[in-house]
């Protein structure tokens, strides 16, 4: 927890440049004290990572609806236009077709052929073919069609019947992905809340230390006045006065540092809350005595880890990841199975050949089925399936590893929370003793039995005891909220109610 506090203190320096740039602007001032819950709400509503999380949830929801649409028939339209340079002619020239006459004797049709008047036999021409007596003329123009401008189109309906389980797997996969996005958003909300709490209590801490520094400067200033009077009366030396003045100057330097740190910590809190860094906020707990009422009840030493696992959004996200990879394996398995779909089409064109060649739009329906059966892919599909199964097993192992880390995290957090309470109780006792020691030193100095050095030592001990008490108080608050975070009991907004 001390490392966390140190990291937060370091982050304050990052806002110095921004503060210098924003100093020329008119500062925004909060009219009323801002509570911790208000800071949390502002951070969650304006944080860019939360906005990204919200969009990811929406994206996953739309992908789930897209996957569900695969159950329903798909209707598509395709159309086009084509210009052809030449006309279409079935014959290259005029055609002469032989004719037939009905033979009553043979009760059959026979070709009308030229016959030898002497023998009555059909006559053959130079090419060895019989010469028809009568012919039917089919002009080339009659079989020539204008296809310069062709319009065509089709409306197709496709209904999947069996896709190897791919559609079912994709619906489950996208639903798990939507839940995963929600869990990741909740986890991000917990991180933001903890960052807000750390920045909030840092401001409260520095405000208390500012008041402490002011009180310490006032004590040294009073001591300097007393010693100066004693020097004038000849009961103290000039060296005693210089020692007090050096100590007073050091205290003023520390006072300036605390003032600057408080300004930077307010900037850090404003940035985390999504406000301009020059926003002047007065916190509800910085001047309230209730802020020092810490929860000194020791945390439990043992927890039901199964309940902790169920509350942790990061573990829930990993568990959903395992399910997603399982469904991904089912999708890959579907690529090795037959696919069956029913297809219906209404196609039309202009010109059309449905009833002779006509230059008008006309169409017809057609219905059929399409079956695809994978036969041999040299093990490619099967290896993709095995790779997906291996990925699923990896995700399951990562989940188990994360649970073990959570066990350690909970134990360490509970131990640190217990340690912070013990430290706070000890600092409370030390503070009471330091107050009494300072009172005795001031009394002894007035009565002449204590030296200036004794008084300054008592004041230094009083300053240290107060500073350690403030740090311990803040540590109790942060350890408590961090323990709630690792236990999954940290209060987060109900995002479902926003829909």
């Amino acid at each position: 927890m001390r490392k966390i506090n140190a990291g937060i203190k370091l982050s304050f320096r990052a806002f110095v440049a921004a503060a210098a740039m924003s100093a020329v602007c008119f500062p925004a001032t909060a009219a009323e004290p801002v509570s911790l819950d208000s800071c949390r709400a502002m951070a969650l509503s304006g944080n860019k990572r939360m906005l990204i999380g919200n969009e990811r949830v929406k994206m996953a929801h739309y992908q789930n609806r897209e996957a569900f649409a695969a159950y329903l028939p798909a209707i598509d339209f395709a159309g086009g236009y084509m210009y052809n340079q030449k006309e279409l002619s079935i014959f290259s020239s005029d055609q002469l077709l032989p004719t037939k006459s009905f033979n009553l004797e043979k009760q059959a049709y026979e070709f009308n052929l030229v016959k030898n008047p002497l023998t009555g036999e059909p006559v053959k021409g130079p090419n060895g073919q019989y010469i028809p007596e009568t012919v039917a003329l089919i002009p080339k123009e009659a079989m020539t069609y204008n296809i310069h401008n062709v319009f065509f189109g089709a409306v197709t309906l496709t209904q999947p019947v069996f896709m190897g389980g791919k559609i079912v797997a994709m619906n489950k996969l996208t639903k798990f992905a939507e839940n995963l996005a929600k869990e990741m958003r909740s986890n991000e909300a917990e991180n933001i809340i903890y960052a807000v709490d750390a920045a909030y209590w840092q401001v409260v801490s520095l405000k208390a230390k500012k008041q402490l520094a002011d009180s310490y400067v006032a004590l040294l200033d009073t001591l300097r006045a007393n010693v100066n009077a004693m020097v004038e009366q000849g009961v103290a030396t000039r060296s005693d006065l210089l020692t007090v003045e050096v100590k007073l100057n050091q205290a003023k330097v520390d006072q300036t540092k605390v003032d600057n740190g408080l300004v930077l910590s307010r900037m850090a809190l404003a940035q985390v809350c999504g406000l301009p860094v020059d926003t002047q906020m007065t916190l509800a707990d910085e001047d309230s005595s209730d802020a020092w009422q810490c929860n000194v009840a020791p945390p439990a030493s043992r927890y039901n880890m199964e309940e902790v696992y169920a509350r942790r959004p990061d573990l829930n996200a990993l568990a959903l990841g395992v399910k997603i990879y399982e469904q991904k394996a089912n999708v890959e398995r579907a690529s090795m199975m037959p696919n069956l779909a029913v297809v219906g089409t209404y196609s039309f064109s202009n010109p059309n050949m449905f009833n002779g060649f006509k230059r008008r739009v006309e169409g017809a329906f057609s219905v059929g089925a399409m079956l695809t059966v994978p036969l041999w892919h040299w093990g490619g599909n099967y290896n993709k399936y095995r790779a997906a199964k291996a990925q699923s097993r990896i995700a399951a192992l990562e989940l188990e590893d994360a649970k073990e880390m959570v066990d350690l995290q909970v134990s360490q957090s509970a131990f640190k929370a217990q340690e912070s309470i013990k430290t706070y109780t000890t600092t409370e006792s030390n503070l009471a003793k330091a107050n009494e020691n300072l009172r005795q030193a001031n009394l002894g100095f007035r009565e002449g039995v204590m030296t200036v050095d004794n008084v300054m030592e008592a004041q230094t001990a009083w300053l240290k005891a107060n500073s350690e008490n403030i740090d311990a108080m803040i540590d109790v608050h942060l350890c408590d909220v961090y323990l709630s975070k690792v236990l999954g009991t940290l209060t987060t907004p109900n995002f479902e109610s926003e829909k």
Side-chain angles (χ1 to χ4, degrees), residues 335-396:
S335 63
M336 299 183 292
M337 304 182 70
N339 293 339
L340 177 62
V342 175
V343 180
T345 304
Y346 178 80
S347 57
F348 57 90
S349 65
N350 179 17
N352 69 87
M353 296 289 290
F354 291 108
N355 189 19
F357 185 84
K358 295 181 180 179
R359 296 194 56 79
R360 65 183 184 187
V361 177
E362 198 166 327
F365 289 99
S366 59
V367 179
M370 183 172 60
L371 177 66
T372 303
V373 181
L375 296 179
W376 186 254
H377 294 269
W378 302 100
N381 293 339
Y382 182 57
N383 287 326
K384 287 176 62 177
Y385 170 69
R386 291 196 296 181
K389 291 293 290 183
Q391 202 170 21
S392 175
R393 289 191 291 269
I394 290 173

Side-chain angles (χ1 to χ4, degrees), residues 193-413:
I193 288 175
Y194 181 72
V196 170
D197 283 25
Y200 182 92
W201 290 113
Q202 188 69 26
V203 173
V204 175
S205 170
L206 289 174
K207 181 60 181 296
K209 288 187 176 181
K210 170 180 167 51
Q211 296 172 348
L212 178 62
D214 294 342
S215 300
Y216 184 56
V217 169
L219 286 175
L220 287 174
D221 191 57
T222 301
L223 180 61
R224 182 185 63 80
N226 293 335
V227 173
N228 186 48
M230 294 173 66
V231 170
E232 293 176 355
Q233 295 175 3
V235 295
T237 65
R238 181 67 179 173
S239 177
D240 292 334
L241 179 60
L242 291 174
T243 300
V244 175
E245 288 179 343
V246 169
K247 198 73 172 179
L248 177 60
N249 289 336
Q250 291 177 349
K252 289 182 177 179
V253 171
D254 293 337
Q255 185 183 38
T256 301
K257 291 180 179 180
V258 172
D259 289 341
N260 293 337
L262 179 58
V263 173
L264 294 176
S265 66
R266 291 188 189 278
M267 291 181 181
L269 178 60
Q271 191 273 337
V272 173
C273 293
L275 301 174
V277 293
D278 59 343
T279 302
Q280 300 297 321
M281 291 192 300
T282 301
L283 305 186
D285 291 316
E286 61 180 78
D287 294 318
S288 174
S289 59
D290 294 337
W292 302 94
Q293 302 301 321
C294 296
N295 180 20
V296 295
S301 57
R302 300 185 66 181
Y303 298 93
N304 186 333
M305 295 310 299
E306 293 299 327
E307 295 181 357
V308 173
Y309 298 155
R311 291 193 298 262
R312 287 285 295 258
D314 50 351
L315 291 183
N316 291 336
L318 288 175
L320 288 169
V322 175
K323 296 180 180 179
I324 288 174
Y325 285 122
E326 290 175 350
Q327 296 305 318
K328 183 179 178 182
N330 291 336
V331 171
E332 300 300 341
R333 183 181 61 184
S335 63
M336 299 183 292
M337 304 182 70
N339 293 339
L340 177 62
V342 175
V343 180
T345 304
Y346 178 80
S347 57
F348 57 90
S349 65
N350 179 17
N352 69 87
M353 296 289 290
F354 291 108
N355 189 19
F357 185 84
K358 295 181 180 179
R359 296 194 56 79
R360 65 183 184 187
V361 177
E362 198 166 327
F365 289 99
S366 59
V367 179
M370 183 172 60
L371 177 66
T372 303
V373 181
L375 296 179
W376 186 254
H377 294 269
W378 302 100
N381 293 339
Y382 182 57
N383 287 326
K384 287 176 62 177
Y385 170 69
R386 291 196 296 181
K389 291 293 290 183
Q391 202 170 21
S392 175
R393 289 191 291 269
I394 290 173
L397 292 173
E398 289 177 346
L399 175 60
E400 293 301 320
D401 182 64
K403 288 182 178 180
E404 293 177 1
M405 296 301 296
V406 167
D407 292 344
L408 178 62
Q409 191 180 40
V410 169
S411 300
Q412 290 179 337
S413 301

Side-chain angles (χ1 to χ4, degrees), residues 30-321:
E32 298 181 356
V34 182
S35 66
L36 178 59
D37 290 338
S38 297
C39 290
R40 288 179 174 183
M42 286 188 290
L44 292 174
S45 62
N47 188 275
K48 298 299 184 296
R49 288 175 297 176
M50 284 301 300
L51 296 177
I52 292 173
N54 292 337
E55 293 302 318
R56 285 176 175 168
V57 171
K58 292 179 182 178
M59 179 182 68
H61 177 67
Y62 295 143
Q63 288 175 340
N64 179 243
R65 294 177 63 179
E66 175 192 359
F68 178 77
Y71 284 118
L72 306 176
I75 301 176
D76 301 290
F77 170 79
Y81 164 80
M82 181 178 294
Y83 172 78
N84 298 299
Q85 178 187 4
K86 297 182 178 180
E87 295 180 339
L88 178 66
S89 180
I90 297 178
F91 301 139
S92 60
S93 62
D94 294 343
Q95 300 296 309
L96 299 175
L97 301 180
T99 61
K100 287 185 177 183
S101 297
F102 188 76
N103 191 326
L104 293 175
E105 296 179 358
K106 297 181 179 181
Q107 293 295 307
Y109 283 96
E110 293 181 349
F111 284 105
N112 297 318
L113 303 176
V114 176
K115 297 180 181 181
N116 190 326
L118 298 177
T119 62
E121 296 294 328
V123 179
K124 291 184 179 181
N127 58 359
Q129 300 293 326
Y130 292 106
I131 301 174
E133 183 179 9
T134 58
V135 293
L137 174 64
I138 302 180
K140 176 184 177 182
E141 291 76 8
M143 302 300 290
T144 300
Y145 304 105
N146 180 3
I147 59 169
H148 289 308
N149 300 293
V150 178
F151 300 88
F152 54 90
V155 178
T156 304
L157 182 146
T158 305
Q159 173 62 62
V161 177
F162 179 73
M163 295 287 114
K166 181 177 181 179
I167 297 178
V168 176
M170 286 300 299
N171 273 269
K172 292 182 179 179
L173 188 153
T174 53
K175 186 60 179 178
F176 292 147
E178 181 181 358
N179 293 334
L180 172 62
K182 293 178 181 179
E183 293 294 344
M184 294 301 295
R185 181 178 61 181
S186 298
N187 186 63
E188 188 62 42
E190 289 188 355
N191 293 334
I192 292 173
I193 288 175
Y194 181 72
V196 170
D197 283 25
Y200 182 92
W201 290 113
Q202 188 69 26
V203 173
V204 175
S205 170
L206 289 174
K207 181 60 181 296
K209 288 187 176 181
K210 170 180 167 51
Q211 296 172 348
L212 178 62
D214 294 342
S215 300
Y216 184 56
V217 169
L219 286 175
L220 287 174
D221 191 57
T222 301
L223 180 61
R224 182 185 63 80
N226 293 335
V227 173
N228 186 48
M230 294 173 66
V231 170
E232 293 176 355
Q233 295 175 3
V235 295
T237 65
R238 181 67 179 173
S239 177
D240 292 334
L241 179 60
L242 291 174
T243 300
V244 175
E245 288 179 343
V246 169
K247 198 73 172 179
L248 177 60
N249 289 336
Q250 291 177 349
K252 289 182 177 179
V253 171
D254 293 337
Q255 185 183 38
T256 301
K257 291 180 179 180
V258 172
D259 289 341
N260 293 337
L262 179 58
V263 173
L264 294 176
S265 66
R266 291 188 189 278
M267 291 181 181
L269 178 60
Q271 191 273 337
V272 173
C273 293
L275 301 174
V277 293
D278 59 343
T279 302
Q280 300 297 321
M281 291 192 300
T282 301
L283 305 186
D285 291 316
E286 61 180 78
D287 294 318
S288 174
S289 59
D290 294 337
W292 302 94
Q293 302 301 321
C294 296
N295 180 20
V296 295
S301 57
R302 300 185 66 181
Y303 298 93
N304 186 333
M305 295 310 299
E306 293 299 327
E307 295 181 357
V308 173
Y309 298 155
R311 291 193 298 262
R312 287 285 295 258
D314 50 351
L315 291 183
N316 291 336
L318 288 175
L320 288 169

